[in-house]
Amino acid sequence: MNSPLLELPGAVAAPEEASLDSSLDVGVPWHFGDPFAEQRSAARSAVLVDRSHRQVIAVPGEERLSWLHLVLSQHLTELPEGQGTEALVLDSQGHIDCHLMLAHHEGAVYLDTDAGAQATSALPTIGVDGKQTLPEYLEAMRFWSKVEPRDATDEFALLSAIGPDAAELLRKAGVDAVPSAPWEVVGLPGGGFARHVPFRGLFTVDLVVPRKSLVDWWMRLTDTGFRPAGTLAYEALRVEALRPRVGLDTDERAIPHEMGWIHTAAHVAKGCYRGQETVAKVHNVGKPPRRMVLLHLDGSVEVRPETGDPVLHGERKVGRIGSVVLHHELGPVALALLKRTAPVDVELVAGDAEQERAVAAAVDPDSVPPDSGEPPGRLAARGLRGH
């Protein structure tokens, strides 16, 4: 469904011939005339982003936490009311199907994810190419549990308030209790809730509001001083914060360890969820074959690589391009999955040369995940052998 905010003066929709990067955000404003200024406002003051195209799923029922604990990758049995987190749906091999943001509020757990998110079917004969929509998958996994998951996208819409002045402006708009602790969730006047999202240095609150009140909330917040911003600006900030997005920064082989989602979205100590064996095995006795990094792209040329293009070291393919954005300070940058053995202190080439969009690229050293050392399982085994 298209957001009514696309009808606002200055709102620009994504082009019809959109790249994969922008096609995921069709239906909401792409920008409001100046994406770079919108990014700068997010860093220096406050912006409001329409993300009402995200799918929202409500999970009420007395067994909601224990059931979600079994279905998702996160430890959820003790998630208190007024708290959120993030989680994944994995396939049986531990590959990532979808990423979810959670909020436990007033007797239900709310999940939000990219529109059209799919999960590998619990029964391979069901669905197209063994895939189901996320609501279909959750319904198939319900069995006799006392839960009633439902697609609540028609009921709720999501706005993101970002920037150092966001908390003050939210209070000015009548949000008396602004969540400030990591993943804190508070109710909103008139229904819905606000959830604090850790966003690597940028104060960020997601507002999940009644969809019928979306325009009213937008006008109330922009009237207090929030600058309207589109998904182009949001995506640039997301890439800068090294937050991956399923379908752009992941491929069919991606596992949580490669994306930096271990401990944040995937729990390594609990069992019983699909894909858990792969998560535990790689964490305890191995290392992920790839790692996500930030690439600085040559900005002296007009072409840029696209999602899915290769990353080369000499003639050898060493990685895959994910999200590609223009950042107001960093210039053209991209997230990329590189082989663990790929050098990170040399010049690389990003993009498809046959399509004439290959450019020089360099890995941002601050984005390289630290070496976690020898896996704990190997250390334990070595200790046993020593005795």
Side-chain angles (χ1 to χ4, degrees):
M1 68 182 75
N2 283 344
S3 169
L5 301 178
L6 278 171
E7 303 300 320
L8 292 176
V12 177
E16 292 185 5
E17 297 181 0
S19 65
L20 178 59
D21 296 58
S22 57
S23 65
L24 293 179
D25 293 321
V26 168
V28 294
W30 200 35
H31 63 82
F32 285 85
D34 193 340
F36 282 169
E38 293 164 25
Q39 291 181 45
R40 288 192 291 270
S41 293
R44 301 171 185 174
S45 52
V47 300
L48 189 65
V49 183
D50 178 10
R51 301 175 67 217
S52 60
H53 57 324
R54 283 181 67 80
Q55 184 173 35
V56 180
I57 297 171
V59 184
E62 61 183 270
E63 295 180 352
R64 59 189 179 277
L65 292 180
S66 58
W67 177 71
L68 286 169
H69 185 82
L70 296 175
V71 175
L72 304 181
S73 65
Q74 186 60 274
H75 196 295
L76 295 170
T77 54
E78 299 174 0
L79 183 70
E81 284 260 3
Q83 188 71 17
T85 187
E86 55 188 325
L88 305 170
V89 175
L90 306 176
D91 71 12
S92 59
Q93 303 302 311
H95 302 134
I96 299 164
D97 274 347
C98 60
H99 174 261
L100 303 157
M101 307 287 275
L102 279 64
H104 193 187
H105 177 65
E106 293 187 347
V109 178
Y110 292 89
L111 323 173
D112 62 273
T113 187
D114 277 326
Q118 293 183 316
T120 305
S121 173
L123 301 173
T125 57
I126 296 178
V128 179
D129 298 327
K131 292 284 187 178
Q132 298 171 299
T133 66
L134 186 57
E136 288 173 343
Y137 172 73
L138 294 176
E139 181 61 29
M141 297 298 290
R142 186 162 67 95
F143 302 111
W144 298 279
S145 299
K146 297 178 181 178
V147 292
E148 298 178 359
R150 71 178 190 277
D151 190 337
T153 309
D154 288 341
E155 302 172 45
F156 295 101
L158 191 147
L159 301 171
S160 289
I162 307 170
D165 296 340
E168 178 185 351
L169 293 178
L170 285 170
R171 283 189 284 267
K172 186 177 178 181
V175 181
D176 296 328
V178 177
S180 57
W183 295 111
E184 182 183 5
V185 175
V186 300
L188 289 172
F193 57 86
R195 173 186 60 208
H196 181 273
V197 180
F199 208 85
R200 200 182 182 194
L202 271 181
F203 181 83
T204 302
V205 170
D206 286 340
L207 306 166
V208 178
V209 303
R211 187 167 289 275
K212 63 183 180 182
S213 303
L214 174 62
V215 175
D216 291 340
W217 269 104
W218 181 271
M219 300 307 295
R220 181 195 308 187
L221 292 169
T222 54
D223 284 348
T224 65
F226 278 99
R227 177 175 187 149
T231 55
L232 263 181
Y234 183 89
E235 287 295 283
L237 300 172
R238 176 184 64 79
V239 168
E240 179 190 15
L242 302 178
R243 293 186 65 89
R245 187 172 183 183
V246 174
L248 293 178
D249 305 305
T250 64
D251 57 16
E252 69 282 355
R253 297 182 293 115
I255 59 176
H257 316 68
E258 298 175 329
M259 315 310 301
W261 273 328
I262 293 298
H263 302 303
T264 58
H267 201 278
V268 297
K270 75 158 191 158
C272 302
Y273 64 94
R274 194 172 65 171
Q276 180 267 339
E277 290 185 2
T278 297
V279 171
K281 183 176 181 180
V282 175
H283 177 72
N284 287 311
V285 298
K287 290 189 176 183
R290 300 177 295 180
R291 51 189 175 182
M292 187 184 72
V293 299
L294 180 71
L295 292 182
H296 293 271
L297 307 175
D298 183 1
S300 66
V301 293
E302 293 185 2
V303 298
R304 293 200 301 274
E306 295 183 1
T307 299
D309 280 354
V311 180
L312 302 177
H313 177 222
E315 299 296 321
R316 185 168 66 99
K317 181 180 177 181
V318 295
R320 171 196 182 275
I321 291 291
S323 302
V324 183
V325 300
L326 276 174
H327 190 272
H328 71 106
E329 289 182 338
L330 302 177
V333 291
L335 293 178
L337 272 177
L338 299 186
K339 292 181 179 180
R340 177 164 290 278
T341 56
V344 295
D345 56 354
V346 298
E347 182 176 290
L348 303 172
V349 175
D352 189 334
E354 293 185 359
Q355 299 297 322
E356 298 183 344
R357 55 173 185 255
V359 300
V363 175
D364 187 319
D366 293 334
S367 73
V368 179
D371 191 335
S372 56
E374 193 165 8
R378 291 185 183 177
L379 287 174
R382 181 177 296 169
L384 288 174
R385 289 195 297 269
H387 287 81

